[in-house]
Amino acid sequence: MELTILHLYPDCMSLYGEYANVAVLRRHLEAMGVSVTVRAAGLDDAPDFTGAGFVYMGAGTERGQKWALAALLPHAQTLRELLDDGTPALFTGNAMELLGRSVTDKAGKVWPCLALADFATVETDRRTPEDVIAHTALWEEPAVGFMNKCSHTTGVTAPLFDRLTLGEGNEGERGPEGYVRGNLFATHLTGPVLVKNPAFTRLLLTRIFQHEGWTLPESLPVLSYEEEAYQVTLQELSRRAGN
């Protein structure tokens, strides 16, 4: 079993150690007997989508986001075809915003985006750095993490997280957050989201195996320190949220 992970623009879209999302996914896949190749596409590269079995893009500064957008726009149709075929993908932080129709920056300039989803984002003067507890129907445990955004995203009809008990949703405090369509997952959560949320990692592993047509092992790899770290983080954030 062989899989290629396409990592889009790690040179400008990799804040808060987000390379770790690719690293942890690779480590789990290799523990399941999969030979993994990570193919990075920089700003000066034409992304090679050929044979990609998973696509990832992390968060960047507002300027870095616009650089990534300019680089990826010419390849929007190829990316759409890959996602429509069910290839699993994860976009974190403000990379999520590029999937929508547009981003309006603080100066009022409208940046047309990939139009892979029917939502739009408006940047604001208010930056929101805060911890998050989020709930989804896709797995049982609450998700934990951190986001640092200065935007509102409206028009999301299929959020990844139904509600937040701590943190800023797409449009406001504790509302629905992120976006999901088939095997495409997106969230404003930044940093090593998969390291912090073993259940999310297991979901992605399952979707990868299903898409590749591989037989899923009876039990997925469990790294004890990840589970322990998750429980400690959840307990601490739950105290802050008053739960």
Side-chain angles (χ1 to χ4, degrees), residues 35 41 56 67 111 145 154 171:
S35 176
Y56 176 70
W67 292 340
W111 299 76
T154 58
E171 300 185 38

Side-chain angles (χ1 to χ4, degrees), residues 10-45:
D11 46 355
C12 70
M13 300 294 283
S14 191
L15 293 177
Y16 306 108
E18 290 195 304
Y19 66 88
N21 289 316
V22 173
V24 74
L25 196 62
R26 178 176 189 168
R27 179 168 183 177
H28 280 276
L29 284 165
E30 290 176 341
M32 298 168 75
V34 180
S35 176
V36 178
T37 298
V38 177
R39 181 191 300 156
L43 286 173
D44 296 328
D45 305 323

Side-chain angles (χ1 to χ4, degrees), residues 219-230:
S219 60
L220 301 185
V222 176
L223 305 180
S224 60
Y225 62 87
E226 288 182 349
E227 296 289 348
E228 293 167 3
Y230 166 76

